[in-house]
Amino acid sequence: MSVHDPHAWDRAAPRGPRPVVYGIRRLLPSWRWLAEAMWWVEHSFGRARADARPEEDTRVRIFVIATAFTAVFCCLALGAAHAALMTPKGVVGSAANPNAVARADIVDRNGALMATNITHYGLYIDPREVWDPTLAAQQIKRALPRISTAKLRRILAGDRRLIALPGLTPQEKSAVHALALGGVTFEPEDRRVYPLDSSARHVLGVADSGGQGLTGAELAFNADIRAAGARGESFPLSIDLRVQGVLENELGAAASAVGAKGAVGVVVDASTGEVLGMSSWPTTDALNRVTSAHYEMGSVFKTFTIAASIDTGKADLNTMFDASQPYMIGNRRITDFHATNKILSLEEVYLHSSNIGTSRMAVELGPDVMRDYFGRFGLLDAAPIELHESARPRRPTNWEDSTRASMSFGYGIMITPLQMAAATVSLVNGGVYRPLSLRRGGSGAEGRQVVSPETSRSIRELMRANVLRGSGKSANAQGLRVGGKTGSANKLVNGRYDPRHGVGSFASVFPADGPDTTRRYVVFVLIDEPAQGSQLGGAVAAPTVGRVIDRIAGFLGVDRVADPVIAPAVAR
Amino acid sequence: MNAAVIIRSVNRLFAWKVRGIRWIEIIGVLMVAAMIFSVYLAKAAAARESAQIADLERQIGVSGQRVRLLKAEVARLEQPGRLEALSRGAGLGPVDMKRQTSEADLAQLQPIPEPKQVVIVAPTPAVVPAAAPAAPAGEGAR
């Protein structure tokens, strides 16, 4: 036995105390077993020789090493087999989705393309590799006329590689590439492209070159669009491009014909709250008037006042209102635009658009009830929709009798066309206020009951009657049972309502007949400050609505049925 | 066969040598060489396929870009405003409701009236009486 045997202390000492103290013994008890095991393995040969069993010791070592290697190789083989056989499908050969893009294509509800990413090219010029700068400048300018000559000359006169023009289309790149000039190179860059030009531009909005949405649906659905792009899928909106096209064309034609300052149009599915078309004219204006412009809407508000009166039980279709003389609230004298000077039923109040009748209703409702109902219809808050541009209304500061009377026929409160559309939807679909949505399939929100289904039915009857016998006759698309209410209002100019600056609107539903579950569509059109001809909603907005409905009914699957015989006129 | 026989057989196998080298080692080396070669072949084939896949994916990417470009061009050409302007320019327009019908009602449509038979009669020379009576006054104003 060697004097260096560290295990000497394990055995009975032949002479005296243990002579050597090693570092291992100073280790913690938890490490002691490991150190001793290594010690045992390392010195097994010496121990075996000391015990006169060298063959047995060699076999043990070979066996231990072979076992260890076998175990390790078995683990490796199993791991390799698992990796080879159990790899998830689709991962082999490619780590990412080959169709993935930074932002998904935006498509309409039928899959028609509205926005996409196209690889454009940045044009880079390294003047050190250009042989003849003057000739190169001439050739590049000829192939790419939109490039700045001054910038081109400055780069060619420089001494380092610079970008001459970003965002070359593939055609432009081919034209420059075909020049075969030295020092001219291209670098790909992903760009957002809107192939519809100005069509639906307010709905779509824009995204920046960094792939982030800035306005419109690009901003509202930024995260969803990016997620869909990563999956290689497209992102569908609720917009129907056919409906959008008809709405834009008819609105543009109507607004141009009367020299209007602006115009808006909205088409909404009343069952789901999906926006099928949204147009703001002129399209060159960055302002989306549907979501962000405020208007005193005029008589279209009478629908809300009457709905509140019917729903509270204070009136029904046969309740009579005295419009035989102006209605006085304090010193204020309220008159009718189409004065009848007689006692009118509620239906006649609606059909003759009697300010006196609705003012009486508003006064009778009281401030709390009227505020409650206007709140239910969403007239006191921004229209709920994904678009960030949806603006808050301008609400009255008090709810006194005079203010309520004004609000009953659409003055004293300024709302956005989108609020108007959402409120109209809630009145015609059985009384359920549902957030509007640009997402295909709607927002999925349950909605809240704001008026009873019976009230909703009465409102539909009134709207239909108004198109058959009232001010909305010009909206009567044949066989499509259009119902609606006209609205006309003067705008406040320098503190006075100026009749030369007016707004004409028409809020409609089709088909207005059938049970509550019938699939209906709300169309709202507003013409802002028509310069020629009448400014009344029945003259400027209702015909546009009629033409729009006439053309989109086929796309929406609304069948035409024979129109009922129209009664000659309301009994006076 | 007991354990002793097995141990003896294994010992004989290990003792089987040629020029001082165990056959079992030669066989082992050959098998390892064969395995290395087969692994090389498999990896070479996998690399070739991987290169093909990468090439195909590149082609798909290029084609995808081209498809996107063409789709955008189609969308631009088919935008409703442009189509309507072209249609109106060609004298087309929305079909009047009175001229629309459902498929089921096709049979009830009135047939197009057949053109009336036009009998062409050879002109006969007017026989003017030699002495026609004078027309009464005022008849020409009737």
Side-chain angles (χ1 to χ4, degrees):
Chain A
M1 192 179 76
S2 164
V3 293
H4 297 292
D5 183 357
H7 278 245
W9 56 274
D10 276 341
R11 293 190 282 273
R15 53 183 183 279
R18 295 162 191 158
V20 182
V21 177
Y22 290 93
I24 295 166
R25 293 178 63 184
R26 292 198 298 271
L27 292 174
L28 292 171
S30 57
W31 286 95
R32 187 169 290 168
W33 69 270
L34 182 63
E36 288 184 357
M38 288 177 65
W39 211 219
W40 183 80
V41 170
E42 285 178 12
H43 289 262
S44 57
F45 182 74
R47 196 172 58 248
R49 200 170 52 182
D51 293 345
R53 289 186 289 108
E55 302 89 353
E56 188 180 322
D57 174 70
T58 308
R59 284 175 192 161
V60 167
R61 285 197 292 170
I62 289 171
F63 177 75
V64 168
I65 291 167
T67 306
F69 271 80
T70 305
V72 168
F73 276 102
C74 281
C75 288
L76 287 175
L78 285 173
H82 180 265
L85 300 176
M86 306 297 178
T87 308
K89 197 175 178 183
V91 172
V92 176
S94 170
N97 190 332
N99 297 321
V101 286
R103 289 183 76 78
D105 291 353
I106 296 181
V107 295
D108 83 336
R109 62 187 303 111
N110 302 313
L113 189 68
M114 298 177 84
T116 186
N117 276 22
I118 299 285
T119 301
H120 282 56
Y121 299 89
L123 171 64
Y124 288 77
I125 299 176
D126 189 345
R128 292 166 297 186
E129 298 179 19
V130 179
W131 286 3
D132 186 345
T134 311
L135 182 64
Q138 286 174 355
Q139 288 184 322
I140 292 172
K141 181 70 182 171
R142 199 177 304 132
L144 196 62
R146 69 186 174 97
I147 196 169
S148 158
T149 310
K151 187 173 185 183
L152 195 58
R153 284 195 183 138
R154 195 168 63 248
I155 292 171
L156 286 167
D159 58 354
R160 62 197 175 100
R161 182 173 181 263
L162 285 172
I163 183 164
L165 190 68
L168 266 66
T169 63
Q171 289 90 343
E172 288 173 330
K173 181 211 167 196
S174 301
V176 178
H177 187 68
L179 300 174
L181 293 170
V184 174
T185 49
F186 306 93
E187 288 191 8
E189 50 190 44
D190 219 14
R191 284 229 166 185
R192 199 65 165 162
V193 171
Y194 303 95
L196 302 181
D197 295 332
S198 62
S199 183
R201 70 177 290 241
H202 292 107
V203 183
L204 284 171
V206 289
D208 64 13
S209 54
Q212 297 294 333
L214 295 178
T215 57
E218 292 273 31
L219 172 63
F221 301 110
N222 189 40
D224 293 315
I225 290 170
R226 292 183 68 86
R231 293 193 302 271
E233 298 168 357
S234 53
F235 183 81
L237 293 182
S238 63
I239 297 290
D240 186 327
L241 210 50
R242 302 168 299 177
V243 174
Q244 178 75 21
V246 168
L247 186 65
E248 285 175 351
N249 292 339
E250 292 294 347
L251 200 65
S256 303
V258 296
K261 177 184 167 190
V264 299
V266 192
V267 180
V268 182
D269 184 331
S271 311
T272 62
E274 291 170 276
V275 177
L276 303 178
M278 179 191 287
S279 175
S280 173
W281 187 91
T283 51
T284 49
D285 193 344
L287 175 74
N288 183 357
R289 290 165 197 270
V290 182
T291 55
S292 310
H294 297 88
Y295 298 98
E296 284 180 303
M297 293 284 178
S299 296
V300 281
F301 259 62
K302 285 172 182 157
T303 313
F304 307 134
T305 312
I306 289 174
S309 280
I310 295 175
D311 203 56
T312 50
K314 292 187 187 300
D316 58 33
L317 294 183
N318 299 315
T319 306
M320 305 304 285
F321 294 87
D322 184 5
S324 59
Q325 52 191 336
Y327 181 46
M328 300 298 294
I329 300 177
N331 293 327
R332 186 178 170 200
R333 189 167 177 268
I334 295 172
T335 57
D336 282 344
F337 187 79
H338 309 284
T340 52
N341 299 321
K342 66 186 188 91
I343 294 172
L344 303 172
S345 69
L346 186 139
E347 188 187 55
E348 290 169 318
V349 165
Y350 195 70
L351 266 55
H352 291 298
S353 201
S354 168
N355 298 339
I356 297 172
T358 52
S359 296
R360 286 183 184 280
M361 286 181 218
V363 170
E364 194 179 345
L365 281 171
D368 295 337
V369 174
M370 191 153 172
R371 194 203 312 249
D372 174 39
Y373 271 92
F374 274 37
R376 292 188 197 187
F377 300 148
L379 303 174
L380 306 181
D381 294 298
I385 192 169
E386 295 89 352
L387 294 176
H388 293 208
E389 292 88 352
S390 181
R392 293 179 63 80
R394 294 181 192 162
R395 298 181 291 187
T397 51
N398 67 70
W399 289 76
E400 295 165 358
D401 286 357
S402 176
T403 311
R404 293 204 309 281
S406 298
M407 289 170 69
S408 77
F409 50 85
Y411 281 91
I413 179 171
M414 298 180 86
I415 65 167
T416 63
L418 207 56
Q419 282 180 276
M420 185 71 213
T424 308
V425 163
S426 72
L427 286 183
V428 300
N429 70 356
V432 180
Y433 187 90
R434 201 169 269 124
L436 301 183
S437 180
L438 276 172
R439 200 185 282 276
R440 188 171 68 181
S443 63
E446 275 296 305
R448 59 178 199 274
Q449 195 78 34
V450 293
V451 293
S452 67
E454 292 74 27
T455 304
S456 175
R457 202 170 306 133
S458 300
I459 293 296
R460 290 200 303 268
E461 286 173 16
L462 284 173
M463 291 173 88
R464 177 66 181 142
N466 191 43
V467 168
L468 289 175
R469 304 189 294 273
S471 55
K473 283 177 187 162
S474 52
N476 192 25
Q478 205 168 2
L480 295 171
R481 295 92 75 207
V482 181
K485 180 74 187 86
T486 54
S488 313
N490 296 332
K491 293 173 88 171
L492 203 58
V493 180
N494 298 326
R496 295 186 64 83
Y497 283 103
D498 187 346
R500 290 169 301 177
H501 298 84
V503 167
S505 60
F506 192 72
S508 69
V509 58
F510 79 100
D513 62 348
D516 289 340
T517 52
T518 306
R519 202 163 189 89
R520 301 176 207 284
Y521 300 91
V522 164
V523 182
F524 177 71
V525 164
L526 179 146
I527 309 289
D528 186 6
E529 293 192 24
Q532 298 157 21
S534 171
Q535 296 185 338
L536 298 178
V540 291
T544 310
V545 169
R547 285 194 296 274
V548 169
I549 290 175
D550 199 49
R551 290 178 60 187
I552 66 174
F555 303 144
L556 302 177
V558 179
D559 294 329
R560 295 178 195 260
V561 298
D563 275 335
V565 178
I566 300 170
V570 175
R572 300 227 169 173
Chain B
M1 190 179 288
N2 53 25
V5 175
I6 294 172
I7 290 170
R8 204 163 45 245
S9 303
V10 171
N11 283 340
R12 276 175 57 196
L13 182 65
F14 276 86
W16 185 26
K17 293 180 180 178
V18 57
R19 292 180 183 273
I21 302 170
R22 287 194 181 96
W23 271 107
I24 192 79
E25 290 171 351
I26 293 170
I27 292 168
V29 167
L30 289 175
M31 286 175 70
V32 167
M35 196 170 71
I36 290 170
F37 186 64
S38 63
V39 167
Y40 165 77
L41 286 180
K43 288 204 58 99
R48 196 166 49 245
E49 284 185 6
S50 182
Q52 284 179 351
I53 289 171
D55 187 50
L56 284 175
E57 282 184 351
R58 189 189 56 75
Q59 287 180 25
I60 289 170
V62 171
S63 302
Q65 283 294 339
R66 188 157 171 71
V67 166
R68 298 177 77 80
L69 192 64
L70 291 172
K71 276 185 178 171
E73 186 64 15
V74 167
R76 190 186 70 78
L77 293 172
E78 288 186 346
Q79 60 181 294
R82 182 177 174 278
L83 288 186
E84 182 166 338
L86 288 174
S87 305
R88 292 203 186 277
L92 304 173
V95 179
D96 186 70
M97 189 264 161
K98 290 175 184 168
R99 303 180 67 180
Q100 298 179 28
T101 188
S102 66
E103 194 180 344
D105 296 337
L106 280 177
Q108 298 174 8
L109 288 182
Q110 272 191 334
I112 299 171
E114 288 183 11
K116 289 179 181 173
Q117 291 286 335
V118 179
V119 181
I120 301 170
V121 182
T124 51
V127 181
V128 180
E139 196 178 8
R142 197 161 50 188

